[in-house]
């Protein structure tokens, strides 16, 4: 029987499993299920991302686009979320540094999940600012990702900037590739700031226009 359930998981095309999924596949006896999940993790077939949520490690290792799969997984761990902040900015080439943690914005609480294969960080934003993303497809699956302008807005909005000097250093240091941030991105950023009615972001917008 042990070989059968390991084969069942290793041949599955599901990107991830919840504990409820595994109850259906492996049996709902608690002690037996716990033993089998531990065995699957030890065998390198499952990777625990958070309690009750497991990556199909076999599928991930065989994937031709593992980073796309990781982005999809990130939006499934916390359903009310979209990719934004550092990860999205680095993906667009706007942030001049490598980012390995997938960063999402959510209306739920701030938290981090770390497994042996991937890392996810979620930052809380108020429901009134939960927009500005598009849907990308990964095979039969999809995930949400902020536009360059919204990713920039989210990143600055959620970064504490106490003084004018710190704000200018943050904006105009070597961290951002502003040449990648297009005129269309800037126009969208302005529209987002206006819609947000944020005094902090209105000041940021003023700094950016002064620098142009």
């Amino acid at each position: 029987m042990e070989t059968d359930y390991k084969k069942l998981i290793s041949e599955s095309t599901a990107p991830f499993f919840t504990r409820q999924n595994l109850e259906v596949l492996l049996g709902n006896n608690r002690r037996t299920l716990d033993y089998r999940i531990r065995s699957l993790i030890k065998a390198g077939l499952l990777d625990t991302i958070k309690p009750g949520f497991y990556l199909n490690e076999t599928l991930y290792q065989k994937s031709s686009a593992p980073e796309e799969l990781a982005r999809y997984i990130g939006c499934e761990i916390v359903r009310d979320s979209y990719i934004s902040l550092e990860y999205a900015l680095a993906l667009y080439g706007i942030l001049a540094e490598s980012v390995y943690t997938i960063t999402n914005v959510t209306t739920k609480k701030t938290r981090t999940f770390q497994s042996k294969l991937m890392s996810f960080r979620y930052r809380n934003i108020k429901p009134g600012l939960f927009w500005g993303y598009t849907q990308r497809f990964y095979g039969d699956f999809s995930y949400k990702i902020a536009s360059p302008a919204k990713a920039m807005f989210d990143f600055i909005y959620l970064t504490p900037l106490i003084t004018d000097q710190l704000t200018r250093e943050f904006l105009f240091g070597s961290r951002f590739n502003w040449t990648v941030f297009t005129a269309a991105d800037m126009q969208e950023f302005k529209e987002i700031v206006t819609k947000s009615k944020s005094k902090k972001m209105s000041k940021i917008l003023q700094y950016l226009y002064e620098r142009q």
Side-chain angles (χ1 to χ4, degrees):
M1 183 64 184
E2 184 169 324
T3 302
D4 291 340
Y5 78 78
K6 287 184 178 179
K7 183 179 180 182
L8 183 66
I9 298 301
S10 67
E11 294 181 350
S12 173
T13 58
F16 65 88
F17 304 96
T18 63
R19 186 177 176 88
Q20 290 74 22
N21 298 148
L22 294 175
E23 283 181 0
V24 174
L25 295 171
L26 307 179
N28 59 10
N29 180 280
R30 182 176 178 180
R31 294 180 68 179
T32 301
L33 180 61
D34 286 343
Y35 166 76
R36 289 177 174 173
I37 290 174
R38 286 196 300 270
S39 297
L40 290 163
I41 293 169
K42 188 175 180 180
L45 299 176
L46 294 181
D47 180 29
T48 307
I49 294 178
K50 70 173 185 175
F53 192 104
Y54 308 92
L55 173 71
N56 182 341
E57 190 169 338
T58 303
L59 187 72
Y60 178 77
Q61 298 288 10
K62 292 191 299 186
S63 174
S64 60
E67 196 163 349
E68 287 271 12
L69 178 56
R71 293 170 202 157
Y72 164 71
I73 293 291
C75 289
E76 287 295 308
I77 297 170
V78 177
R79 288 286 183 90
D80 296 328
S81 73
Y82 61 88
I83 295 168
S84 188
L85 308 168
E86 298 100 311
Y87 183 88
L89 290 173
L91 188 65
Y92 292 130
I94 298 168
L95 192 65
E97 58 193 58
S98 298
V99 177
Y100 301 102
T101 295
I102 296 177
T103 53
N104 284 40
V105 159
T106 178
T107 56
K108 297 182 178 179
K109 65 181 181 180
T110 293
R111 48 190 155 171
T112 299
F113 299 113
Q114 175 75 54
S115 77
K116 68 178 183 179
L117 293 173
M118 52 188 70
S119 177
F120 303 94
R121 184 161 61 90
Y122 300 84
R123 297 286 305 280
N124 170 265
I125 202 165
K126 61 184 182 181
L129 294 176
F130 191 82
W131 42 266
Y133 53 82
T134 58
Q135 197 170 37
R136 282 196 185 179
F137 288 89
Y138 164 70
D140 295 330
F141 308 106
S142 66
Y143 60 87
K144 298 186 286 289
I145 184 168
S147 67
K150 188 55 164 56
M152 180 64 78
F153 175 93
D154 291 344
F155 188 43
I156 299 173
Y157 180 81
L158 293 176
T159 299
L161 298 169
I162 301 170
T163 67
D164 283 353
Q165 182 180 347
L166 285 175
T167 301
R168 291 179 186 278
E169 288 175 358
F170 174 80
L171 291 174
F172 306 119
S174 59
R175 199 171 192 192
F176 297 116
N177 291 322
W178 285 108
T179 55
V180 179
F181 202 71
T182 66
D185 292 333
M186 191 63 188
Q187 178 59 35
E188 183 184 350
F189 184 82
K190 179 182 177 182
E191 292 168 2
I192 293 169
V193 170
T194 302
K195 184 177 178 180
S196 74
K197 298 180 181 179
S198 165
K199 291 181 180 179
K200 171 187 174 179
M201 297 306 295
S202 294
K203 191 70 173 178
I204 295 293
L205 185 64
Q206 179 184 330
Y207 289 152
L208 294 178
Y209 274 120
E210 286 173 358
R211 191 64 178 254
Q212 286 186 339

